[in-house]
Amino acid sequence: MADAVALAMVEALPATAPAVGWSTYGVLNGTWAGSAVSTDGTNIYVSHGYVGGSTTPTNGQRIIPPGGGTSVSGVVAPVARGGVAGAWCNGKHYAIGGSNSSGQVQAVIEAYTPAGAGGASGVWSTMSSGFIGASYMAAAVIGTNVYFAGGQAGGVNDAVRNFYRYDTTANAVTGLAQMPAARTQGAMVAVGAKLYYLGGLDSGGGGTNTVYVFDTAAGTWTTAASGPDSNVFAGAATVIGATAYVVNSGGILYRSCLLYTSDAADDTPCV
């Protein structure tokens, strides 16, 4: 998932880094798609997915070191999966959901705890399940919780509305209010106490530009201003301050200030 890797690289940069143009930051050992990607702000972790155009998922891992350059091989994960959601939370790289080599969706959360120089020596653990399996879900982090939403139960025409919170401290999954509509292969970012699910594909497999906002305090979803086109949010996204940087399926980078709240105390100025 090259777009997701690119956005993880943005997350690894200082907040004051200028966002002017594209440049090569790190090199994987081939093309990776449908992978779990996260960063601790220093290393970038890429695990699972489909490598080199293969339709068989991998349980491999690559780690891009500080400053970029050539990635190093990480520790093999317990289960090979593709279409996996990734998140960094509470000192661990999480890989959530996905499909196995038989194409069956998985209700699996695996966590990688780095150790040693460069994060290349560490251990994988299989965590709680407690959710309905799906691939190509979107994930975002608030505090010690990983939220994951949407995804597909089979092909792109099987998008779902499911939404969950994974408490990394308690190792427990809780089902939350479903999304307003079924979405898969979208992106989700967090700003303050709100989560923004950006576009993705609908239940008919068509691209969307919708933005759904979940208020974790109120426990409710609302609909925000739509994106500029229906392909914008079928890629990956990250946030610096309150500005979302979104890569669409065509490789175009957009940014948007996320100030969808009437509570001035909850607003974070865009950078």
Side-chain angles (χ1 to χ4, degrees):
M1 187 177 290
D3 291 342
V5 175
L7 269 298
M9 293 171 186
V10 173
E11 285 186 318
L13 295 173
T16 55
V20 180
W22 290 99
S23 61
T24 299
Y25 182 83
V27 180
L28 301 173
N29 62 331
T31 58
W32 287 60
S35 302
V37 183
S38 76
T39 179
D40 58 4
T42 302
N43 299 295
I44 297 170
Y45 300 88
V46 183
S47 70
H48 304 83
Y50 305 97
V51 181
S54 174
T55 57
T56 301
T58 183
N59 58 348
Q61 182 191 53
R62 303 295 295 184
I63 300 170
I64 300 173
T70 303
S71 63
V72 297
S73 180
V75 179
V76 172
V79 180
R81 292 172 285 144
V84 182
W88 179 270
C89 185
N90 212 9
K92 293 179 172 62
H93 164 79
Y94 286 92
I96 304 168
S99 300
N100 64 14
S101 57
S102 299
Q104 299 172 322
V105 292
Q106 302 292 292
V108 176
I109 299 176
E110 293 172 340
Y112 175 74
T113 305
S121 175
V123 61
W124 283 95
S125 303
T126 300
M127 313 305 287
S128 175
S129 55
F131 62 97
I132 298 173
S135 60
Y136 294 102
M137 295 182 287
V141 174
I142 297 177
T144 57
N145 295 314
V146 180
Y147 295 82
F148 52 102
Q152 57 200 59
V156 294
N157 293 326
D158 299 311
V160 298
R161 298 171 56 200
N162 299 333
F163 179 49
Y164 301 95
R165 179 184 64 236
Y166 173 61
D167 184 330
T168 61
T169 301
N171 186 31
V173 176
T174 302
L176 302 175
Q178 290 190 322
M179 296 172 61
R183 292 289 186 267
T184 184
Q185 300 187 33
M188 188 161 65
V189 296
V191 177
K194 292 183 171 62
L195 295 156
Y196 298 79
Y197 189 98
L198 310 173
L201 306 179
D202 61 22
S203 56
T208 70
N209 61 353
T210 51
V211 178
Y212 297 132
V213 186
F214 183 78
D215 186 325
T216 59
T220 56
W221 288 95
T222 55
T223 301
S226 297
D229 70 68
S230 61
N231 293 314
V232 170
F233 299 126
T238 192
V239 165
I240 299 176
T243 300
Y245 293 82
V246 186
V247 176
N248 77 351
S249 57
I252 299 173
L253 178 66
Y254 292 85
R255 68 178 182 177
S256 175
C257 184
L258 300 175
L259 294 179
Y260 305 122
T261 173
S262 58
D263 180 5
D266 192 39
D267 290 347
T268 303
C270 285
V271 297

